Amino acid sequence: MEKMIAGKTIAVNEEGYLTDFNQWDRNVAEEIAKENEVEMSDKHWKVIEYLQKEHQNQVPLSIRKIGKSNVVDIKEFYELFPNGPLKISTKIAGIPKPASCL
Amino acid sequence: MEKEFNGEIRKMMIILSKATLENVYAAFVLANGARMEGIQAEIFFTFFGLEAVHKKKLEHLHVATVGNPAMHMPTMLGGLPGMEALATTMMKKEMEKIDMPDIHEFLDILVASGVKLWACRLAMDMFHYKKEDMYEGLSDVITVGDFYKQGSGLGTHMLFV
């Protein structure tokens, strides 16, 4: 599937997650964030960068791990991305939706 | 801004009435999974379920080896001394492998995620538990009626574990 995001044609899956990380940039992230009622701040970007790094190192993401990341605690993570933190933050980060239940 | 209701689940009200590890984890995973999807979640601890939020007991919950057909062991074997402890140790090892937190840490995660934890007043009285005996993240001790009131609104689902 393809979708126009921030003036670019971006390959996404049926849930709207990027399928090619090379197409990701900050403008794309900003627009996905806006669609999900998230306004990006420095703190948001720090979390996004952390998620991308973890994904690059093939670490499976979970709420528990993020709570121990020293980047953000769980309460803050929920405040930054209220309607499903892991689901929405990974979408903004341009990485796949984690399959974890934890 | 109120979105139009289209049948989605908005709130999970989970009633936990047992304190065996498998049931407590089931309730906790369901509540946590709801929050991860942006769904509200609350847990009502009643009868033996209260042990999961009792400071002195929550670290010592066990797997049921008797009356649990999924253990695949003869019922008489399950009743032997030490069998529950053995099964519990084995299960805890497996849980650590899949990054499952222990009960206390899991409660902390639930509270940080915005899950409300309620203790049943009637069961508290029955077991002679005081609020001070309970896990500090507990929201309050309430009646069944209070719990139902908490669940009002469109898209609320109730689950008995």
Side-chain angles (χ1 to χ4, degrees), chain B residues 91-160:
Chain B
M91 187 157 150
K92 281 186 172 166
K93 254 187 211 152
E94 289 304 314
M95 285 182 162
E96 194 50 47
K97 273 189 216 159
I98 59 164
D99 203 30
M100 185 84 100
D102 65 29
I103 297 293
H104 198 283
E105 189 193 342
F106 213 150
L107 284 168
D108 293 343
I109 291 175
L110 292 176
V111 170
S113 307
V115 176
K116 289 203 181 93
L117 308 174
W118 306 106
C120 168
R121 176 169 302 284
L122 188 65
M124 288 283 287
D125 291 347
M126 193 181 113
F127 289 113
H128 306 290
Y129 292 165
K130 289 188 210 68
K131 201 164 176 226
E132 310 87 79
D133 303 333
M134 312 306 280
Y135 169 69
E136 58 280 3
L138 202 69
S139 297
D140 208 353
V141 180
I142 62 171
T143 65
V144 174
D146 295 330
F147 185 67
Y148 283 147
K149 218 172 276 165
Q150 282 295 121
S152 55
L154 285 175
T156 296
H157 291 242
M158 269 203 202
L159 195 61
F160 185 83

Side-chain angles (χ1 to χ4, degrees), chain A residues 2-102:
Chain A
E2 284 183 334
K3 196 178 166 191
M4 277 294 280
I5 305 175
K8 290 207 309 190
T9 311
I10 306 283
V12 296
N13 68 10
E14 44 310 323
E15 287 186 293
Y17 288 79
L18 266 64
T19 50
D20 177 8
F21 182 68
N22 292 319
Q23 295 184 315
W24 183 91
D25 62 32
R26 280 199 166 211
N27 293 331
V28 171
E30 292 258 14
E31 191 156 321
I32 297 172
K34 222 177 280 167
E35 268 176 36
N36 289 279
E37 293 159 37
V38 172
E39 199 169 325
M40 297 300 285
S41 67
D42 288 352
K43 190 83 205 182
H44 286 92
W45 289 118
K46 278 215 184 83
V47 175
I48 297 298
E49 278 160 22
Y50 165 77
L51 294 174
Q52 289 172 339
K53 209 174 74 214
E54 290 294 281
H55 176 66
Q56 219 170 28
N57 298 334
Q58 296 179 327
V59 181
L61 295 166
S62 70
I63 292 274
R64 186 191 189 195
K65 280 217 189 82
I66 286 163
K68 290 181 173 171
S69 66
N70 291 324
V71 176
V72 67
D73 65 31
I74 294 174
K75 196 164 175 229
E76 231 178 333
F77 191 39
Y78 271 93
E79 282 161 5
L80 292 172
F81 307 96
N83 300 315
L86 202 51
K87 205 172 68 166
I88 289 171
S89 59
T90 48
K91 195 186 261 189
I92 297 170
I95 60 178
K97 179 177 168 180
S100 166
C101 291
L102 287 170

Side-chain angles (χ1 to χ4, degrees), chain B residues 3-20:
Chain B
K3 278 199 196 121
E4 198 182 327
F5 182 65
N6 60 14
E8 77 273 16
I9 299 175
R10 288 186 175 174
K11 193 191 264 188
M12 286 302 296
M13 305 291 284
I14 299 166
I15 301 158
L16 179 64
S17 65
K18 307 171 194 77
T20 42

